[in-house]
């Protein structure tokens, strides 16, 4: 896909401002032409901005969990190989989009220059996190990732990134460490959509049973807290093994009465019969099942664990569309299956409020931020 | 993945009846063990049945459109190569599941033997269609596909297939040709889910704007009719080129007043900006967008064509989960995205009733059943 030397590099004769800049970033798409930046193979990541863009001096990338897991496994956790692989992706594609998983992550940084027509309301010096995926964000790394140890998805680095007119960014809060805020905002779509769906779902006495698969993880713990806040009558937390169960059982809800989960189930989410039986024993089937584990093959189990007429929300980027569609049909399951949209209005604020008010969730995040990936076999996000 | 000669073939020492038969068909899964039949690499397709199973003498397969398209393109439409490829898949996997697309299709046949504990209510001699995917149905072909010309997804053949306790099958209606009934039931999940979603959606005056991408196709034309029946205020039909537009404009709705679509838009569904602009000009954005074209890369366009707060239903098996999830986030689109579940209670009956009462839809089906795939560049299903 690389441009060969004998061809002129596309767009190189085009000065920023000479073409109208699309709020969607279409003017930054190099190939294939006409697609949205997320679907593009390669973006124009040059630093000069169009009038409706914002350039950010990058401080830290937060790689998407599925992407980091894939890279970590493909390179046996070798830090040098991981650094080289991430640099190669960014240099080739003009963005950090893992070619295998298709996913990206997000970043934090300081606004360097805001174009006069940018609608984002940002000014030079603002410390922000991007809430659009790295998979569509023009990005250049300038320090060779020298400060990244390759052992976690949080990547301290230097470089620049470009925000479009319709990108979303949030100011980093003053009262939370940047690393924590970034990790929270990275998964903030999950609690927001969980809250919306649970609030709209009936169930016995209008209090739905909610199963969170991967409840001791980041998106899972936030989603468990959001489900409770939205009126869940029973929150079942599913974890893969005893160590995760201990983490989850130590997490108390903000009300001091409940655990973050009411029932904790140890099950392999890739084993449909085992998972659904365990959830049934804990008070299921679920009216709402939320899939927050980034391992492939969880579709069938989530479907079988959900009551007829219920809803499955897939947040895992490892979800297979066909496995979900055909899996539900194959077991005659009348369940609504949602693609976990990372954007829900107010999502960052909801998640940050949860982390401020739910010590159990905050404890899980702090643990996740300090542990090493080698220890996290089959862990949720 | 094949079992080598030095190993005993799994299950070969197990007589039917010696193990309890799962209604989900778990007892027919050879590898990997413990997964549902749809997720399995290989099934046990031996003809002897367990007490809750049904064996069907197969008359015809209807390959899923995405699968047929992939096979057709991979083998340059060569009938001998296509026959060999399909036979190889079925012999290797014990089911017709395209390894590239993951999808299958369905079949018609005559019940050969119904186990005493089968809950399906079938008896020997019943002519039926299966409403669960071929991707999970144990299947053996015995005639080498000699009667298939390789030019259409409808494959006349001989062999046997197995239905589980929780499979779904429908009696073939007496008043419709079998080929037509099969084609209708193959896509009957789409109009059923479209009907449900449109009926539950508001919009101006409670009459939502519905865009059907691929409206001149089989699932698209049925979904357009279902949307109208469910109360759509405006049905926008999207087609890829003039020839399809003519087909759609010739299709009149049952009421004799409307066309099947109120507005017909010619656009490339893979071009997000072109598609969304065209739909906007025709009365959009849509409150409900239904994706019925089996080509990859339609996620962004469908999302951009949908109003904030609206719903996208993805029926195409070419849908990418990550492209949908990240695409919506990337343009800050607050849209509900549904995985098109092939099972909705009453789906076959709804679709058969539409084909009986909507001459425009029936005309489209009859045309699709007689045309050749070479002529169908970029056609909807």
């Amino acid at each position: 896909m690389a441009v060969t030397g004998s061809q002129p590099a596309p767009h190189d004769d085009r000065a920023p401002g000479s073409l109208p800049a699309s709020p969607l970033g279409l003017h930054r798409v190099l190939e294939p032409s006409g697609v949205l930046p997320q679907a593009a193979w390669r973006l124009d990541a040059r630093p000069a901005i169009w009038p409706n863009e914002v350039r950010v001096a990058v401080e830290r990338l937060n790689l998407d969990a599925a992407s980091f897991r894939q890279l970590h496994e493909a390179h046996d956790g070798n830090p040098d190989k991981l650094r080289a692989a991430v640099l190669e992706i960014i240099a080739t594609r003009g963005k950090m989009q893992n070619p295998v998983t298709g996913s990206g992550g997000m970043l934090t940084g300081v606004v360097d220059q805001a174009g006069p027509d940018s609608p984002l309301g940002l000014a030079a010096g603002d410390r922000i996190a991007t809430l659009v995926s790295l998979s569509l964000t023009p990005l250049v790394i300038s320090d060779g990732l020298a400060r990244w140890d390759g052992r976690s998805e949080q990547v301290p680095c230097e470089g620049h990134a470009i925000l479009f007119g319709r990108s979303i960014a949030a100011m980093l809060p003053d009262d939370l460490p940047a690393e924590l805020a970034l990790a929270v905002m990275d998964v903030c779509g999950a609690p927001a959509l969980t809250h919306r769906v649970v609030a709209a779902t009936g169930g016995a006495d209008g209090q739905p049973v909610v199963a969170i698969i991967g409840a001791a993880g980041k998106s899972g713990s936030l989603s468990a807290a959001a489900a409770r806040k939205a009126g869940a009558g029973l929150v079942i937390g599913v974890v893969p093994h005893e160590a995760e169960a201990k983490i989850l059982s130590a997490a108390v809800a903000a009300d001091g009465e409940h655990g973050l989960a009411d029932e904790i189930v140890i099950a392999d989410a890739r084993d449909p019969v085992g998972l659904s039986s365990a959830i049934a024993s804990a008070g299921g089937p679920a009216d709402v099942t939320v899939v927050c584990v980034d391992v492939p093959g969880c579709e069938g189990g989530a479907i079988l664990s959900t009551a007829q007429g219920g809803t499955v929300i897939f947040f895992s980027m490892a979800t297979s569309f066909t496995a979900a569609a055909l899996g539900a049909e194959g077991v005659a399951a009348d369940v609504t299956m949602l693609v976990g949209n990372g954007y829900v209005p107010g999502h960052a604020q909801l998640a940050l409020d949860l982390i401020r008010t739910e010590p159990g969730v905050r404890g899980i995040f702090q643990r996740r931020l300090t542990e090493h990936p080698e220890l996290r076999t089959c862990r949720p996000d």
Side-chain angles (χ1 to χ4, degrees), chain A:
Chain A
M1 300 293 275
V3 175
T4 64
S6 60
Q7 295 176 317
H11 293 223
D12 258 7
D13 55 345
R14 188 196 59 187
S18 67
L19 276 181
S22 145
L24 300 170
L26 298 166
H27 56 290
R28 291 273 186 176
V29 173
L30 293 183
E31 56 176 309
S33 64
V35 302
L36 291 170
Q38 199 271 331
W41 173 250
R42 194 160 69 92
L43 299 180
D44 173 359
R46 288 179 301 169
I49 59 170
W50 269 257
N52 67 351
E53 293 182 334
V54 170
R55 187 178 60 247
V56 178
V58 179
E59 294 182 334
R60 185 183 291 269
L61 308 180
N62 192 33
L63 302 183
D64 160 79
S67 173
F68 179 71
R69 172 191 293 273
Q70 188 276 327
L71 288 163
H72 192 268
E73 289 175 359
H75 299 286
D76 300 322
N78 180 307
D80 289 333
K81 289 183 182 170
L82 269 165
R83 273 189 291 269
V86 171
L87 284 170
E88 168 71 18
I89 290 170
I90 297 170
T92 304
R93 306 196 65 175
K95 57 178 178 174
M96 180 53 214
Q97 181 176 27
N98 183 317
V100 176
T101 64
S103 55
M106 53 187 297
L107 61 83
T108 52
V110 176
V111 172
D112 195 27
Q113 186 185 358
D117 301 339
S118 167
L120 301 184
L122 299 173
D126 287 346
R127 291 199 71 217
I128 61 156
T130 60
L131 298 179
V132 289
S133 173
L134 287 178
S135 63
L136 57 90
T137 303
L139 177 67
V140 171
I141 297 298
S142 57
D143 71 344
L145 302 180
R147 287 184 291 131
W148 184 38
D149 63 6
R151 299 180 72 157
S152 121
E153 51 264 60
Q154 298 235 355
V155 183
C157 62
E158 290 173 20
H160 73 261
I162 306 293
L163 302 182
F164 308 130
R166 201 161 153 176
S167 296
I168 319 165
M171 299 284 282
L172 282 170
D174 293 333
D175 61 332
L176 296 171
E179 195 186 31
L180 175 61
L182 179 58
V184 170
M185 290 198 271
D186 182 39
V187 295
C188 67
L193 187 54
T194 299
H195 188 279
R196 178 189 281 184
V197 170
V198 171
T201 299
D205 308 323
Q207 295 192 308
V209 174
V210 180
I212 310 281
I213 302 177
K218 290 182 287 188
S219 60
S221 60
L222 276 172
S223 296
R228 171 95 58 208
K229 191 172 177 176
L234 176 71
V235 177
I236 303 170
V238 180
V239 292
H241 46 61
E242 190 60 47
E244 296 274 320
K246 280 188 184 156
I247 292 170
L248 183 57
S249 64
V252 178
D255 62 11
E257 288 176 38
H258 296 84
L260 189 55
D262 299 300
E263 299 284 341
I264 298 177
V265 162
I266 299 177
D268 183 343
R270 297 163 299 186
D271 171 5
V273 177
L275 178 69
S276 56
S277 304
I279 286 179
S281 305
D287 299 301
V288 179
T289 301
V290 186
V291 181
C292 293
V293 282
D294 275 317
V295 290
C298 300
E299 300 85 0
I303 290 163
L304 272 188
S305 301
T306 305
Q308 292 289 91
T311 301
V312 182
I313 317 177
F314 291 104
F315 285 111
S316 166
M317 288 299 163
T319 303
S320 158
F321 182 88
T322 45
L326 297 177
E329 181 191 291
V331 296
D334 180 20
V335 295
T336 298
M337 295 185 286
L338 296 178
V339 177
N341 183 348
Y343 177 68
V344 175
H347 57 345
Q349 203 54 51
L350 174 74
L352 290 169
D353 285 348
L354 286 171
I355 209 82
R356 289 184 181 109
T357 56
E358 296 277 356
V361 179
R362 186 159 178 169
I364 283 175
F365 268 74
Q366 278 165 340
R367 169 183 282 269
R368 296 290 173 206
L369 289 172
T370 54
E371 71 189 354
H372 284 171
E374 299 88 302
L375 306 176
R376 293 179 280 174
T377 319
C378 199
R379 73 179 184 91
D381 56 81

